[in-house]
Structures are given as structure tokens and as C-alpha cells.
């Protein structure tokens, strides 16, 4: 029984709770903000890539790269799959370097007057006319290769931004029912790919500890066989578990609906390809957009009908909220404004090479590119709360 001089334990507990600083209470509160729909990130990144295909101006392309890099640095979550941006960046640099090397070695049919160096030319047979190995390397040839390579590199970097920002598992969960089997296969591949790498590292370490070679053709073969055996065992166990849970079972759909779904899906995809080709070429600008829109509508209708084959539900589906509309709309605005600028001022977005013209930064296309920074302000990555300080 407590004495009168000692307060009861309940009073001590209440007093200690009142002495906890407010910073600790704030730090303990989790961040319940709903993550952005992964499809919005892909639409935003593909729109930036579309904008990159409309220009060869290195200043605008560099601005597109900087925009995607800033958004990735601001919005990228702390997850293993979010570290792929640097891999795509290195791949883009490799593509640019390979494009320049091929331009130097193979040359270009375009004439050039500013010669950098003259390489020894290798004579080729008559059936290889139009191909040249060696010869004169001009500034015009190198610049054309640099502009084309930088455009392709920017497109790869935009795809890398989408891979770093969009959760692949949540993205595959959002696929329509018509792509259900493909989504399951991709999810399984993404889940078990790290296990293969871990198996290879574990087996190589075990062989080194036993004094056996783990490099060369012999070492790789002796490592590959156990890895393949383990992968087959996991695949059989996974197949049995999925079959027991009902994966792969489809609903009965009338043949007429199946034929209509196939026609709409294939026709829509062909329309998307034809419309995209029309938008990327100078002669197809009139029919490209209508064909693309019609193809997208037909493909979506086919996927909607095909979803009847897979009666399933989604646990906590990602919602397409106002932030998703803003993110996707900012990327679409960049693509639309750059496409308009390519038609209005083609000389600013595609600087000339013959004769040599120094590229300049057009103001309103550059301002249009900066619209791609909207996701950095409306959907930043959640910050990890700092640990509270203990009261002295």
C-alpha cells in the first residue's frame, strides 16, 4: 500500500506523459498520405519522352533531363526498385557514346566542310556501296550524331524516371483483367529475379571457401546448374500453390464477345502504331492524331471487354485522384506545347547543321518544359521522421 508521501503510479504516468516533448509526438505520427497512382508517373514520363522526340536542340534536351532528374530526386521513394534511375542514366550515356563512335567510324553521307581528322579508309567491295569505313570526320557529322544520340538518351532517361517513381507491383495490380495472365507472369519474374542473383552469389562464395574456381566457363557451368535446379524447384512449388488458390481460372465468355475483343484490341494497337508513326513523321501530321485517338479508344474498349474473362477483385485498388490528373496533365502539356513549337518554330527546336548554326534556347518552349516540374511540388516523397530527442 503506497504511503501518503508517494503519489500513486497513475499520477506518475500522467506526469511523465505531460513531460514528453511535442516533437516526439509529431515524430511518432506515421505519414498516411496516399501514394500517387503508378500509371500517372508513366504517363508523365512518356509525355516527356514524346516531347524529346520533337526536338534535337541540345539545350531543350538537357532541360528535359534536368527536369526528370529533379522530379526523381524529390519524389523517389526509399525502395530498392527506385534505384534504377542511375542505371538508365548510364545506359543513356553508353548509347550516346556508341552513336558517336559509329558516326566517326562509318561517316555520314551528308557533306561537311569542317574536317576534324582524316582516318585511314578501308576499301570495301562493290556490293557494299554506300558504306564507308574511315575517311574524313567532319564537325557536321559529329554534331548530327550527337543530336540524334542525345535525343535517344533523353528518351531512355525519361523511361528510367518512370521506373524509379512507379511501384512495379502496384502498377501491375492496376492492369485490366484482359492482361491478367501477363501481369501475374511479370510479378512472378520481378519477385524471383533477386533470388537468382542471391543464389549465384551464395554458390560462388561457397565454392571460394572450398577452394574451387568460381570464374571461367567451368566455374560458371558448375554454378549455373545448382541455380537452375533451385529455380525449377521454386517454380514447381509456386505453380502448385497458385493452382491451389485458383490462379489461371477464367469465366465462360461467348465466342462473339471473344472475337469482338480480339478485333478491337488488335485494331486498336495497329491504330496506335500508325498514329504514332504519323506524329513522328513530317508528312503524317494531319492523320496521325485522329488515328492515334481512334486506336487508343478501340484498344481500351477491347481491354474492357476482355476483362470479363477474369472475374477477380482488387485489394485496396489505387485511386486516380486529383494529384494523378495534375501529374499526367503536366506531362501532356509539355508534349503538346513542344509539338506545337516544332510546327511553329522548327528552326529553334531543330538547329541546323549545314551550314553550322549555334543552338539557342527558345523562351516559351523552355517554359513549357518547366511545366514538367509540377509533380515535384504536389507529390513529394514522404520524409522519414527524425528520432525524438530524449529530455535532459
Amino acid at each position: 500500500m503506497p504511503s501518503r508521501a508517494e503519489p500513486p503510479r497513475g499520477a506518475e504516468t500522467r506526469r511523465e506523459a505531460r513531460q514528453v516533448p511535442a516533437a516526439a509526438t509529431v515524430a511518432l505520427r506515421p505519414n498516411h498520405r496516399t501514394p500517387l497512382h503508378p500509371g500517372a508517373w508513366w504517363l508523365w514520363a512518356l509525355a516527356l519522352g514524346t516531347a524529346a522526340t520533337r526536338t534535337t536542340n541540345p539545350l531543350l534536351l538537357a532541360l528535359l533531363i534536368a527536369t526528370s532528374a529533379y522530379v526523381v530526386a524529390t519524389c523517389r521513394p526509399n525502395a530498392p526498385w527506385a534505384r534504377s534511375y542511375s542505371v538508365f542514366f548510364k545506359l543513356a550515356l553508353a548509347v550516346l557514346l556508341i552513336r558517336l563512335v559509329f558516326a566517326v567510324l562509318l561517316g555520314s553521307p551528308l557533306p561537311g566542310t569542317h574536317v576534324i581528322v582524316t582516318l585511314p579508309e578501308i576499301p570495301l567491295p562493290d556490293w557494299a556501296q554506300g558504306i564507308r569505313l574511315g575517311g574524313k570526320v567532319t564537325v557536321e557529322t559529329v554534331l548530327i550524331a550527337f543530336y540524334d544520340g542525345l535525343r535517344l538518351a533523353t528518351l531512355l532517361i525519361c523511361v528510367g524516371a518512370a521506373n524509379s517513381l512507379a511501384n512495379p507491383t502496384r502498377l501491375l495490380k492496376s492492369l485490366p483483367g484482359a492482361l491478367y495472365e501477363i501481369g501475374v507472369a511479370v510479378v512472378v519474374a520481378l519477385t524471383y529475379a533477386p533470388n537468382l542473383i542471391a543464389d549465384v552469389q551464395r554458390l560462388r562464395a561457397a565454392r571460394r571457401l572450398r577452394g574451387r574456381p568460381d570464374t571461367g566457363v567451368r566455374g560458371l557451368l558448375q554454378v549455373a546448374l545448382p541455380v537452375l535446379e533451385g529455380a525449377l524447384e521454386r517454380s514447381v512449388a509456386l505453380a502448385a500453390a497458385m493452382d491451389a488458390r485458383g490462379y489461371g481460372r477464367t469465366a465462360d465468355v461467348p465466342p462473339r464477345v471473344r472475337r469482338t475483343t480480339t478485333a478491337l484490341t488488335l485494331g486498336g494497337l495497329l491504330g496506335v502504331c500508325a498514329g504514332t508513326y504519323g506524329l513522328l513523321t513530317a508528312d503524317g501530321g494531319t492523320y496521325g492524331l485522329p488515328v492515334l485517338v481512334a486506336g487508343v479508344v478501340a484498344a481500351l474498349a477491347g481491354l474492357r471487354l476482355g476483362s470479363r474473362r477474369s472475374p477477380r477483385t482488387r485489394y485496396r485498388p489505387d485511386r486516380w485522384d486529383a494529384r494523378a490528373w495534375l501529374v499526367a496533365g503536366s506531362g501532356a502539356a509539355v508534349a503538346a506545347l513542344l509539338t506545337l513549337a516544332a510546327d511553329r518554330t522548327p528552326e529553334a527546336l531543330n538547329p541546323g547543321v549545314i551550314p553550322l548554326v549555334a543552338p539557342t534556347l527558345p523562351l516559351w518552349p523552355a517554359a513549357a518544359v518547366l511545366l514538367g516540374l509540377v509533380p515535384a511540388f504536389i507529390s513529394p516523397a514522404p520524409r522519414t521522421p527524425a528520432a525524438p530527442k530524449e529530455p535532459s
Side-chain angles (χ1 to χ4, degrees):
M1 181 174 181
S3 61
R4 294 183 179 180
E6 296 179 359
R9 291 185 178 181
E12 291 180 357
T13 306
R14 289 192 295 269
R15 187 182 299 112
E16 291 177 359
R18 286 195 297 268
Q19 292 177 356
V20 175
T25 306
V26 175
L28 293 176
R29 292 176 182 173
N31 192 344
H32 295 291
R33 190 172 186 180
T34 306
L36 192 69
H37 196 286
W41 287 122
W42 272 100
L43 291 177
W44 171 82
L46 292 177
L48 291 186
T50 304
T53 61
R54 309 308 299 172
T55 178
T56 56
N57 191 322
L59 301 179
L60 287 176
L61 294 175
L63 190 59
L64 283 169
I65 294 174
T67 300
S68 66
Y70 182 79
V71 173
V72 168
T74 307
C75 305
R76 180 173 55 183
N78 187 14
W81 48 265
R83 303 169 187 169
S84 60
Y85 185 75
S86 59
V87 177
F88 277 88
F89 196 87
K90 294 175 182 178
L91 178 62
L93 291 179
V95 168
L96 179 60
L97 182 60
I98 292 173
R99 182 68 178 88
L100 291 174
V101 169
F102 272 90
V104 170
L105 294 179
L106 300 180
S108 175
L110 297 177
T113 57
H114 302 79
V115 180
I116 302 175
V117 66
T118 302
L119 300 177
E121 188 172 353
I122 300 176
L124 297 176
D126 296 337
W127 55 266
Q129 291 183 358
I131 303 175
R132 178 172 63 86
L133 294 177
K136 295 181 180 181
V137 180
T138 62
V139 177
E140 292 83 355
T141 300
V142 174
L143 277 180
I144 292 174
F146 177 75
Y147 290 167
D148 291 339
L150 185 60
R151 180 166 56 181
L152 181 57
T154 306
L155 184 58
L156 288 174
I157 289 174
C158 292
V159 174
N163 279 274
S164 299
L165 294 169
N167 190 331
T169 304
R170 290 174 48 227
L171 179 65
L172 292 172
K173 187 179 69 172
S174 303
L175 287 177
L179 304 177
Y180 170 67
E181 291 84 0
I182 299 176
V184 171
V186 175
V187 167
V188 171
L190 291 175
T191 304
Y192 281 93
N195 293 333
L196 295 178
I197 299 175
D199 288 346
V200 172
Q201 294 176 351
R202 178 175 53 82
L203 290 171
R204 293 185 63 183
R207 291 184 63 83
R208 285 195 298 267
L209 290 175
R210 293 180 174 87
R212 298 178 181 177
D214 62 325
T215 58
V217 178
R218 181 180 178 184
L220 291 178
L221 288 177
Q222 293 181 355
V223 169
L225 290 177
V227 171
L228 180 60
E229 181 181 359
L232 290 176
E233 291 179 354
R234 281 195 299 267
S235 64
V236 172
L238 178 64
M242 293 177 65
D243 183 68
R245 288 168 174 82
Y247 281 88
R249 299 176 184 177
T250 58
D252 293 333
V253 179
R256 178 176 55 83
V257 176
R258 290 201 298 267
R259 290 192 294 268
T260 306
T261 302
T262 304
L264 286 175
T265 305
L266 293 180
L269 293 178
L270 290 176
V272 169
C273 294
T276 304
Y277 176 79
L279 289 177
L280 295 178
T281 57
D283 298 334
T286 56
Y287 69 85
L289 185 59
V291 173
L292 178 61
V293 172
V296 169
V297 171
L300 291 177
L303 293 177
R304 183 70 177 178
L305 286 176
S307 300
R308 297 182 180 180
R309 295 181 59 250
S310 176
R312 64 191 180 102
T313 59
R314 292 187 179 94
Y315 177 69
R316 290 184 180 180
D318 294 314
R319 296 183 178 180
W320 192 276
D321 53 4
R323 291 185 300 129
W325 281 111
L326 287 174
V327 170
S330 64
V334 174
L337 291 175
L338 266 267
T339 302
L340 180 62
D343 295 334
R344 296 288 181 85
T345 57
E347 65 281 353
L349 269 68
N350 299 285
V353 177
I354 300 175
L356 285 175
V357 176
T360 58
L361 184 63
L363 293 181
W364 75 269
V369 173
L370 294 179
L371 291 176
L373 295 174
V374 170
F377 301 99
I378 65 174
S379 183
R383 296 183 179 180
T384 304
K389 296 182 180 179
E390 296 182 358
S392 56

